Amino acid sequence: MHDSVVLSLMLLAAAPAAAQPDPVSAFGCRTRALVTDQNLQMVADAYHRHSVTILKMALAGDLDRLRDMVDPSAKFEILLSDDHGVGWDETGASAAVTFARAVGPTSYEFSTAPSGIALADPCRETSAELMLTGRWPDERVVATFRYRRGLLVGAVARLVDLTRGDFGSAADR
């Protein structure tokens, strides 16, 4: 008895950790188990994390998993200046890979503000915005991911310049 328990524990410890479920899939947007009201902050956080997951899969070229998360007609674009940008004729999962590799993010940031008791329908059109650090230390890209019924339907990235400064110490004011 003791040996079988130890063997079971060893097999359990050696098994790969189960993948975390995608937070957007919990909304059931394309199923009969559709969730229509959810805390606004939870919805925003889920779509931000979903956008990060999509970028990670796109950078890895994981087309099989991307096809479940990206609408086949999804379009992607990078804006270089006020009215000039780069887009692709391809759409869907393969375009997501091209987009992610063109942006070349090395890190990301996003924020979600507390929403109190505000509710949102997580399966309607929504968007998530990520601040991405690019290949160079001072390069920043703001990427806006648009969703409908839980699927990514498009993304636009634009290069931005950030300015930082100090207010000085209280003695300097």
Side-chain angles (χ1 to χ4, degrees), residues 22-36 47 50 54 57 64-73 121-124 147-153:
D22 179 61
V24 170
S25 66
F27 300 141
C29 294
R30 294 176 283 150
T31 70
R32 289 183 181 200
L34 173 70
V35 174
T36 57
Y47 278 102
H50 194 63
I54 287 173
M57 286 190 290
D64 289 335
R65 288 186 55 205
L66 283 170
R67 285 186 186 102
D68 292 334
M69 303 168 101
V70 179
D71 187 275
S73 63
D121 181 343
C123 297
R124 287 203 169 168
Y147 293 92
R148 188 178 311 117
R149 296 190 66 216
L151 283 177
L152 181 64
V153 295

Side-chain angles (χ1 to χ4, degrees), residues 16 19 23 29 32 34 43 50 76 86 100 105 123 141 162 164:
C29 294
R32 289 183 181 200
L34 173 70
V43 171
H50 194 63
F76 299 84
V86 175
C123 297
V141 175
L162 294 181
R164 290 189 178 147

Side-chain angles (χ1 to χ4, degrees), residues 5-155:
V5 171
V6 170
L7 178 60
S8 295
L9 290 174
M10 287 174 40
L11 289 173
L12 187 60
Q20 292 292 333
D22 179 61
V24 170
S25 66
F27 300 141
C29 294
R30 294 176 283 150
T31 70
R32 289 183 181 200
L34 173 70
V35 174
T36 57
D37 289 319
Q38 188 64 259
N39 175 279
L40 183 61
Q41 183 178 359
M42 184 181 289
V43 171
D45 185 68
Y47 278 102
H48 283 105
R49 293 182 188 286
H50 194 63
S51 300
V52 170
T53 299
I54 287 173
L55 276 176
K56 286 180 180 179
M57 286 190 290
L59 289 168
D62 190 345
L63 289 172
D64 289 335
R65 288 186 55 205
L66 283 170
R67 285 186 186 102
D68 292 334
M69 303 168 101
V70 179
D71 187 275
S73 63
K75 293 197 169 266
F76 299 84
E77 185 178 15
I78 300 174
L79 299 177
L80 303 173
S81 65
D82 292 337
D83 59 354
H84 294 84
V86 175
W88 297 271
D89 289 335
E90 67 182 320
T91 60
S94 62
V97 170
T98 302
F99 173 81
R101 290 179 177 168
V103 172
T106 58
S107 65
Y108 64 90
E109 293 179 283
F110 64 82
S111 65
T112 51
S115 63
I117 58 171
L119 296 177
D121 181 343
C123 297
R124 287 203 169 168
E125 289 191 27
T126 191
S127 63
E129 191 170 88
L130 300 179
M131 175 73 72
L132 306 171
T133 302
R135 294 179 180 100
W136 298 279
D138 293 336
E139 182 181 71
R140 297 293 186 276
V141 175
V142 174
T144 304
F145 296 81
R146 293 181 299 105
Y147 293 92
R148 188 178 311 117
R149 296 190 66 216
L151 283 177
L152 181 64
V153 295

